[in-house]
Amino acid sequence: MALTDFDLVLFGGGGDLSMRKLIPALYARDRAGDLPPTAQIICIGRHKWSNEEFVAELNENSKTHISEKTLTPALWEKFCARIRYVSLDATDAATYQPLNDVLRNDAGLTRVFYLATPPTLFSKICNNLSARGLATETSRVVLEKPLGRDLASAKQINLEVGQVFKESQIFRIDHYLGKEAVQNLLALRFGNVLFEPLWRREWISDVQITIAEEIGVGNRMGYYETSGALRDMLQNHLLQLLCIVAMEPPLSVTPDAVRDEKLKVLRSLKPFTAATLAKNIVRGQYRAGHIEGKAVPGYRQEKAANPDSNTETFVAIKAEIDTWRWAGVPFYLRSGKRMADQLAEIVVRFKPIPHSIFAQSTGSFQPNCLIIRLQPDEGLQLNLMAKTPGDGMRLKPVELELDFAETFKTPRMDAYERLLLDVLRGQLTLFMRSDELEAAWEWVEPVLRQWEQEGNEPLPYASGTWGPAAASALIGRDGLQWREEALPE
Ligand code: BG6
């Protein structure tokens, strides 16, 4: 579907997210021919840069995030011609006139305000847009995470942004929902009959969802100290993936049909009790160690770190979903920085065979397992048992592999590219609704409260490992292992 001509306003236009992700994603779509010739990208910042100076900033800090294979000087120049830099103080409506001047007053155009700013500015900016008559009936607003830091602040954001924009105009981003493999999980579940009859407690033993990063906190210490792994990854990315795995078939892929089902999952998460709070959560913080053979410092020794910080850089949680389909099936979620590998995957493990007709004992059969890989490469793996060739009947595990890049050979689209296109098309399916956001915060709230208590320190783990040993014990108590621990050496 071709895009209508648009004015896209990026608050935080000179910031990290804009430079690393948004501008490169927009360039990629421009290169693909998706952007209308006269579409404008209006970057807002406090610096008093001229347009030329801002483009020089882009050359320095954003162009470097575009793969050389796709970077053509002429295309980049054409793309930069769309950029309008506007210097204003986002908190002060009196400074907004240059934005009024540059926005085109044409009801047929799409107008999007993308707030890549701290959440404390969301309502202020929305109010200022409203005061300046810029937040029209048809304009859209995109909110970047973090969407609050607990239930109360998330509710406040929903309330205040909701006073300016209708729910149908609000796009709450979780970039994990824009990843190709997540979309493919929907295709796998609802485009095939094979899995649906098995997708339930009778056949599935457990589900593991891992987002592991080798990178540390980098130069984001200011933000990360106020966040930690639970707020940064679990409350949003991991829970959204869990929703896609666990939701009932939606009526269609229309926004509310999908979001209604995701909401039901979030509302069915078994609430924590004092006992499960103590038992089902592991919180860790990386110490010095080695990543790919290179020595790296611990979290407390990173640039601008608080040497006494208790912020967690790793979290593992055992969750349960109280529904007919999922009762009794554990969902293990974990995410950490400075881990042994850089990967994101969902592992659905099926139950063991009930009886062996072969000479081998049932224990020697590896249960079937479906692995949905999100990163680094996107793909599917299905583990089966098969006979080894030759005389006799010996079964051994084999893997059926589907590599999406190999299979489709079409260029992949980054999550931000897809989500930006959806915003510009007004397609809300991959964005969180206010009630979803609140339900996710509500579930993690008791964990946050418990961690605030004095003496609750994260467990240390060496950089380059899979997190604290307690994370293995968490799953080990149920007689299970994380996938990498179960793999042969
Ligand atoms: C962001 C987090 O939302 O997701 C970062 O704030 C994290 O801390 C990033 O590194 C991971 O995203 P991806 O797409 O690189 O896996």
Side-chain angles (χ1 to χ4, degrees), residues 145 175-176 179 213 215 220 223 232-233 237 337 375:
K145 69 180 267 276
H175 77 279
Y176 264 71
K179 292 193 187 259
E213 297 182 283
I215 53 166
R220 296 167 76 218
Y223 153 72
D232 190 45
M233 302 296 285
H237 305 327
K337 295 217 183 273
Q375 271 157 210

Side-chain angles (χ1 to χ4, degrees), residues 140 171 253-255 421-431:
R140 300 168 195 153
F171 291 70
V253 286
T254 52
L421 285 183
D422 278 359
V423 170
L424 293 165
R425 289 188 187 119
Q427 172 55 257
L428 274 159
T429 304
L430 297 178
F431 297 84

Side-chain angles (χ1 to χ4, degrees), residues 185-485:
L185 178 54
L186 288 173
L188 178 83
R189 284 197 61 200
F190 306 121
N192 298 285
V193 290
L194 206 58
F195 296 104
E196 175 55 21
L198 305 177
W199 213 254
R200 58 192 63 248
R201 62 190 301 277
E202 287 83 356
W203 301 107
I204 290 181
S205 117
D206 63 287
V207 178
Q208 298 178 13
I209 308 180
T210 298
I211 307 177
E213 297 182 283
E214 286 181 345
I215 53 166
V217 69
N219 52 13
R220 296 167 76 218
M221 188 56 89
Y223 153 72
Y224 203 82
E225 262 301 279
T226 65
S227 169
L230 186 134
R231 290 185 174 95
D232 190 45
M233 302 296 285
L234 187 129
Q235 184 274 341
N236 32 68
H237 305 327
L238 285 170
L239 283 186
Q240 286 294 320
L241 295 181
L242 172 126
C243 285
I244 305 282
V245 175
M247 72 183 182
E248 294 298 320
L251 292 179
S252 64
V253 286
T254 52
D256 282 341
V258 172
R259 299 185 308 174
D260 284 348
E261 294 308 333
K262 285 182 3 204
L263 178 65
K264 283 186 212 157
V265 175
L266 293 168
R267 290 202 174 141
S268 317
L269 283 166
K270 191 179 261 182
F272 289 101
T273 62
T276 54
L277 272 177
K279 222 172 71 184
N280 289 353
I281 305 168
V282 175
R283 181 174 183 235
Q285 188 188 64
Y286 64 82
R287 296 287 185 264
H290 288 84
I291 298 283
E292 293 189 338
K294 213 173 128 239
V296 291
Y299 180 74
R300 292 176 180 172
Q301 286 77 49
E302 293 276 17
K303 206 163 68 195
N306 164 6
D308 300 320
S309 169
N310 274 341
T311 302
E312 81 285 354
T313 59
F314 173 93
V315 61
I317 281 194
K318 174 181 169 182
E320 283 176 84
I321 302 172
D322 272 340
T323 59
W324 192 284
R325 187 190 283 266
W326 293 117
V329 179
F331 283 76
Y332 303 99
L333 315 179
R334 67 178 167 162
S335 181
K337 295 217 183 273
R338 288 281 193 236
M339 305 273 286
D341 207 346
Q342 179 87 20
L343 63 86
E345 66 180 20
I346 300 168
V347 180
V348 180
R349 209 150 25 176
F350 293 88
K351 295 222 164 145
I353 54 162
H355 164 73
S356 169
I357 62 165
F358 307 103
Q360 286 167 253
S361 66
T362 43
S364 67
F365 286 75
Q366 202 183 76
N368 299 130
C369 189
L370 176 69
I371 298 142
I372 300 128
R373 264 193 329 268
L374 282 71
Q375 271 157 210
D377 46 345
E378 288 150 350
L380 280 182
Q381 185 183 314
L382 182 62
N383 295 356
L384 303 168
M385 293 296 288
K387 179 188 169 298
T388 48
D391 193 21
M393 198 62 178
R394 247 351 270 165
L395 277 74
K396 98 182 233 300
V398 288
E399 293 164 1
L400 265 183
E401 272 276 345
L402 173 64
D403 181 318
F404 292 131
E406 257 306 290
T407 307
F408 292 107
K409 299 205 168 48
T410 40
R412 60 185 289 286
M413 205 193 256
D414 175 76
Y416 274 100
E417 289 177 45
R418 173 170 298 107
L419 295 173
L420 278 162
L421 285 183
D422 278 359
V423 170
L424 293 165
R425 289 188 187 119
Q427 172 55 257
L428 274 159
T429 304
L430 297 178
F431 297 84
M432 286 179 289
R433 207 168 54 193
S434 61
D435 46 7
E436 259 186 273
L437 177 72
E438 290 180 16
W441 277 118
E442 199 168 335
W443 186 66
V444 299
E445 185 84 6
V447 184
L448 294 173
R449 296 289 89 91
Q450 199 219 22
W451 286 357
E452 276 162 14
Q453 284 165 24
E454 227 176 300
N456 196 322
E457 278 195 40
L459 299 168
Y461 61 97
S463 287
T465 65
W466 285 100
S472 304
L474 167 86
I475 186 164
R477 268 201 316 270
D478 297 336
L480 300 166
Q481 287 175 307
W482 294 104
R483 189 169 97 89
E484 81 283 346
E485 293 172 347

